Amino acid sequence: MRLRAPFIMLELHRKFGFRPRSAVWELTLSCNLRCRHCGSRAGRKRQDELTLAEALRLCDELAALGCRRLTLGGGEPLLRKDWPIIAERLIERGVTVGMVTNGLAWTEQVVATVKAVGLESVAFSIDGLEESHDYLRGSPGLWRRILEHAQRCRKAGLHVSAVTTLYRKNLPELPELRDVLRENGIERWQLQLGTPTGNLADHPELVIAPESLLELVPLVASWCRDNRRPKIYSGHNIGYFGEPEESLRDPRDVVPCWTGCTAGLNTIGIESDGGIKGCLSLPSAMNDEDAFLEGNIRDASLRDIWFRPGAFAYNRGFKVEQLGGFCRSCDYGEVCRGGCTWGTFARGRFVRDNAYCYWRQQQEAERKKAAPEPTSEKG
């Protein structure tokens, strides 16, 4: 797959207008787990989280700006007890709403509430087979409980998904895990690379090596091509060109390839105290970083924050000069923009030189293979 350099999707975004069509909302930073890979270092709630009245006003503003799909997350979203009221408001305004949960606070009552409110889906975090999942989450027995929850949700007529963060221990387990998820009624499965921010930055030994992509990406692409459940979705930090690329993307996309990070273009992240980012995964105060915070809804309307001149400049004002190393010389650089902003920042801050790129790893492997063997002189 080859793209002409002038073909820049960012120009199409500018032409049709930036709209926060997809959102992820951290309802609370409070969490009942202390996971080894948590990028936001969740645990205690933020000091001044939004009141219900503020949250409902934000629901109205999101819908007015054209938000069409929103995921309730955290922390653990179930720990915010008024989450059903917030979800109902969004749904009333025409927003499709789902939830990602760690499953620890899940109950039969929650199943009934989810169904009554009208959530489109619920996604459980399932990070490998039993030992790998419970190790990462630090909660023995949780894996088995989640699978039981998934079965009950299916019996109740709910759409059930799984989200898996890939790290060293669970990579070899993926084929078997896929079978387990299918047997337990999981319909959709999102795979995403563990990014070394937050707690995972404290555990670099868990982060997969870039060369692992040479086997991982073709495997995920092959699963995306077949019709067996669960349907596979690759996270925005997986892939980037080469032969598998087209299979990794949604076939409904106008351009069936990665076209760059969408943070601040058509994606928005909302922190529980009203902070606005282009993507919820991007670091902020919990990681001593404020470069990605665009404003707070307590200080300005969401519309004013979204359309502020100079907002989300790392993407809206992208220049090739932001690329470094391999990415700067890559034929796809102008389109790709260095891949996932979260991933590139975690490893190189504001210089986008992404080692976690399938195309890069393939090119580097081919160069090593073609390089002549070193010779030694005999005296």
Side-chain angles (χ1 to χ4, degrees):
M1 179 184 295
R2 306 289 286 181
L3 297 176
R4 294 178 293 110
F7 182 77
I8 305 174
M9 285 301 297
L10 186 55
E11 295 304 321
L12 290 181
H13 281 291
R14 291 193 181 107
K15 179 177 180 180
F16 292 107
F18 303 121
R19 292 285 177 179
R21 294 176 179 85
S22 177
V24 181
W25 188 343
E26 174 198 279
L27 286 184
T28 178
L29 196 61
S30 178
C31 192
N32 44 15
L33 293 177
R34 300 294 183 272
C35 301
R36 287 180 167 87
H37 68 303
C38 182
S40 56
R41 299 189 186 275
R44 295 181 179 179
K45 63 185 296 186
R46 295 183 191 271
Q47 289 185 349
D48 192 15
E49 297 192 334
L50 295 178
T51 66
L52 178 57
E54 289 171 327
L56 294 178
R57 176 168 56 84
L58 179 55
C59 292
D60 296 343
E61 291 189 81
L62 282 163
L65 279 180
C67 183
R68 291 294 170 260
R69 182 172 185 84
L70 184 142
T71 299
L72 302 174
E76 171 50 46
L78 293 178
L79 298 186
R80 174 149 185 159
K81 299 306 181 184
D82 57 6
W83 72 262
I85 301 173
I86 296 169
E88 282 183 330
R89 183 64 155 257
L90 288 163
I91 294 168
E92 288 171 358
R93 299 294 187 267
V95 181
T96 299
V97 180
M99 175 185 287
V100 177
T101 174
N102 63 36
L104 189 59
W106 197 264
T107 64
E108 288 289 347
Q109 180 57 51
V110 173
V111 174
T113 303
V114 166
K115 192 166 185 179
V117 168
L119 294 192
E120 188 274 336
S121 65
V122 58
F124 293 100
S125 296
I126 304 178
D127 297 309
L129 297 177
E130 184 171 10
E131 182 183 353
S132 297
H133 173 88
D134 290 354
Y135 166 79
L136 199 65
R137 299 275 162 177
S139 181
L142 180 59
W143 188 81
R144 291 184 178 273
R145 290 172 59 184
I146 289 175
L147 295 183
E148 293 172 358
H149 296 330
Q151 293 173 21
R152 294 191 183 101
C153 287
R154 288 292 292 143
K155 289 178 181 178
L158 299 175
H159 295 295
V160 188
S161 305
V163 178
T164 298
T165 297
L166 303 176
Y167 76 113
R168 285 185 184 268
K169 285 174 66 70
N170 66 19
L171 275 188
E173 303 171 350
L174 294 181
E176 185 178 352
L177 179 58
R178 188 188 185 203
D179 292 336
V180 170
L181 297 181
R182 182 185 307 111
E183 292 163 3
N184 285 274
I186 302 295
E187 299 175 63
R188 308 164 187 162
W189 187 20
Q190 178 173 308
L191 298 167
Q192 58 195 29
L193 300 182
T195 299
T197 55
N199 292 349
L200 193 56
D202 301 333
H203 297 280
E205 73 282 0
L206 300 181
V207 180
I208 70 170
E211 311 87 69
S212 301
L213 299 180
L214 292 172
E215 294 185 12
L216 174 65
V217 172
L219 175 65
V220 174
S222 70
W223 287 348
C224 289
R225 284 193 294 267
D226 72 35
N227 295 318
R228 292 194 301 162
R229 287 190 173 182
K231 180 173 174 54
I232 308 296
Y233 293 87
S234 57
H236 284 184
N237 59 4
I238 293 181
Y240 316 139
F241 302 99
E243 189 278 331
E245 176 62 27
E246 186 170 348
S247 298
L248 294 173
R249 308 306 161 197
D250 192 325
R252 296 170 297 180
D253 291 345
V254 176
V255 181
C257 68
W258 171 256
T259 55
C261 174
T262 60
L265 305 182
N266 60 26
T267 305
I268 192 170
I270 305 160
E271 296 188 334
S272 55
D273 60 358
I276 299 298
K277 300 185 290 189
C279 168
L280 186 59
S281 295
L282 291 170
S284 62
M286 295 301 293
N287 290 290
D288 299 318
E289 179 60 60
D290 61 3
F292 296 103
L293 272 177
E294 303 291 339
N296 191 293
I297 64 159
R298 286 174 168 144
D299 303 321
S301 70
L302 184 61
R303 173 176 290 277
D304 286 347
I305 295 171
W306 183 260
F307 289 113
R308 175 179 59 80
F312 309 97
Y314 54 91
N315 268 344
R316 293 184 188 178
F318 172 79
K319 295 180 176 59
V320 174
E321 289 73 22
Q322 292 170 232
L323 301 176
F326 181 92
C327 291
R328 183 67 175 270
S329 62
C330 179
D331 290 340
Y332 304 121
E334 288 184 272
V335 177
C336 177
R337 289 181 275 122
C340 168
T341 302
W342 176 35
T344 55
F345 183 83
R347 298 175 176 94
R349 293 189 65 80
F350 294 102
V351 176
R352 304 189 187 197
D353 183 24
N354 192 353
Y356 284 78
C357 162
Y358 175 78
W359 176 250
R360 174 177 180 166
Q361 290 303 317
Q362 185 184 58
Q363 296 301 298
E364 292 182 349
E366 289 180 359
R367 277 198 292 270
K368 289 178 183 177
K369 186 176 181 181
E373 291 289 332
T375 57
S376 59
E377 295 183 5
K378 293 184 178 180

